[in-house]
């Protein structure tokens, strides 16, 4: 079970020694004001998050944290970038913000649903092609698109798995989709993977250019229509994806391709739209 000193250190970014001294000095207390002087106090995971007072300020102790962000246009999905603002800047003030990592990536000009988690194993499962998590996007296009052939192949040889592609009525447009002047068609597309710029490349192959793009769902999660661009809210990914992450067979070479993407693109501004 987690120890009190390690939990406080992890949540506040302090050293274990600092927390030990604070406990013994009576600076760590229950919300009722009872001192917690034993830094080795074990806390059951089922009791978390648990609030304690540290120097009279409430601190919610957690071992993990997940959130759903409405990523706005104009920021990149990265922890740091020399040219653009990052989506991380908008969430790093959240609990355990130092440990948050994005689940997949959306590029500079794509808005919509972006998940963050502190759990590396969960991130891996949500993004690995074996689990084929469905992603739905709304797109503003230059004009109509051709129907995709059964053997549609993109310029890099990738054959996208399009689960749904249909015209989008104006009444269905999510507030997060930017519909610029010159838009000639609206579409909704659901795919079962997240390759580099996949949605844009699909429409390009079908004769239409993407002018605006917004991811509106990821697996069972939908982008709340009342969540403003740049805002985020806490969610429980374990509960939401319970029983749904069943692996599908990998295609030849897919394992190696995924590993290269994780290693080379872990902190860059690439995207899976």
């Amino acid at each position: 079970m987690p120890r009190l000193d390690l939990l406080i250190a992890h949540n506040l970014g302090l050293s274990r020694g600092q927390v030990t001294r604070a406990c013994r000095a009576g600076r760590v207390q229950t919300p009722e004001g009872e001192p917690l002087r034993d830094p080795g106090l074990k806390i059951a995971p089922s009791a978390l998050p648990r609030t304690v007072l540290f120097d009279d300020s409430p601190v919610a102790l957690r071992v993990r944290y997940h959130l759903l962000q409405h990523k706005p246009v104009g920021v990149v999905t990265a922890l740091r970038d020399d040219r653009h603002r990052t989506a991380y800047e908008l969430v790093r003030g959240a609990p355990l913000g130092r440990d948050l990592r994005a689940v997949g990536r959306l590029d500079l000009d794509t808005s919509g649903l972006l998940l963050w988690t502190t759990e590396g194993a969960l991130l891996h499962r949500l993004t690995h092609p074996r689990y084929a998590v469905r992603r739905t996007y709304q797109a503003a296009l230059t004009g109509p698109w051709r129907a995709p052939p059964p053997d549609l192949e993109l310029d890099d040889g990738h054959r996208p798995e399009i689960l749904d592609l249909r015209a989008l009525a104006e009444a269905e447009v999510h507030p997060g989709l930017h519909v610029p002047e010159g838009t000639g068609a609206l579409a909704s597309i659901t795919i079962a993977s997240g390759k580099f710029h996949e949605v844009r490349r699909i429409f390009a192959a079908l004769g239409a250019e993407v002018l605006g793009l917004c991811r509106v769902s990821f697996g069972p999660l939908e982008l709340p229509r009342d969540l403003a661009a740049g805002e985020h809210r806490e969610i429980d990914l374990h509960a939401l994806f319970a029983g749904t992450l069943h692996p599908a067979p990998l295609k030849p070479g897919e394992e190696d391709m995924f590993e290269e993407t994780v290693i080379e693109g872990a902190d860059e501004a690439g995207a899976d739209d």
Side-chain angles (χ1 to χ4, degrees):
M1 288 192 294
R3 291 168 51 110
L4 176 65
D5 54 356
L6 295 179
L7 281 169
I8 295 176
H10 184 55
N11 280 264
L12 291 182
L14 301 175
S15 72
R16 188 172 170 182
Q18 288 175 304
V19 177
T20 296
R21 290 189 290 274
C23 287
R24 290 173 177 167
R27 294 161 50 201
V28 179
Q29 303 173 341
T30 67
E32 295 73 33
E34 179 184 351
L36 297 171
R37 298 184 183 275
D38 179 9
L41 176 69
K42 299 293 182 63
I43 299 178
S46 60
L48 299 173
R50 173 178 173 177
T51 298
V52 300
L53 300 180
F54 188 94
D55 287 341
D56 298 322
S57 296
V59 177
L61 303 181
R62 307 171 186 269
V63 291
R64 66 190 187 199
Y65 194 76
H66 315 137
L67 64 83
L68 181 156
Q69 179 189 36
H70 182 168
K71 178 200 167 295
V73 171
V75 301
V76 294
T77 309
L79 297 181
R80 50 192 170 273
D81 189 273
D82 294 333
R83 296 175 297 168
H84 306 288
R85 291 188 66 203
T86 68
Y88 177 67
E89 292 176 38
L90 303 174
V91 302
R92 64 182 171 190
L96 302 180
R98 297 178 307 282
D99 301 325
L100 284 170
R101 297 296 180 267
V103 179
R105 289 166 285 173
L106 297 177
D107 73 8
L108 183 71
D109 298 319
T110 302
S111 61
L113 189 159
L114 183 62
L115 301 177
W116 294 79
T117 178
T118 57
E119 297 182 82
L122 178 61
L123 187 156
H124 182 84
R125 289 172 68 87
L126 291 172
T127 54
H128 198 290
R130 287 196 69 190
Y131 297 94
V133 178
R134 299 166 60 102
R135 300 145 163 87
T136 298
Y137 298 80
Q138 291 186 358
L141 307 170
T142 51
W145 62 92
R146 297 188 298 271
D151 58 348
L152 176 64
E153 185 173 301
L154 303 183
D155 50 8
D156 62 352
H158 171 60
R159 293 189 174 185
E161 185 177 355
I162 302 174
L163 303 177
D164 181 63
L165 174 56
R166 61 181 179 85
L168 183 69
E170 290 189 16
E172 297 179 273
V173 173
H174 194 284
L177 175 65
H178 175 56
V179 182
E181 186 176 348
T183 295
L186 298 168
S188 172
I189 182 170
T190 301
I191 57 177
S193 58
K195 302 294 183 180
F196 183 73
H197 289 173
E198 185 168 1
V199 172
R200 296 178 187 274
R201 294 191 294 135
I202 289 173
F203 281 113
L206 300 179
E209 180 185 349
V210 172
L211 300 177
L213 190 62
C214 178
R215 182 158 67 189
V216 296
S217 74
F218 186 94
L221 282 165
E222 296 186 356
L223 179 64
R225 298 180 75 89
D226 62 348
L227 185 64
E231 297 298 313
H232 59 83
R233 61 183 55 165
E234 181 181 2
I235 56 173
D236 184 348
L237 289 175
H238 288 287
L240 290 164
F241 281 88
T244 66
L245 290 176
H246 303 299
L250 282 176
K251 298 174 184 178
E254 205 163 27
E255 180 74 43
D256 293 339
M257 187 182 305
F258 177 77
E259 295 300 337
E260 289 173 4
T261 301
V262 170
I263 294 170
E264 295 176 6
D267 232 4
E268 299 172 1
D272 62 3
D273 52 62

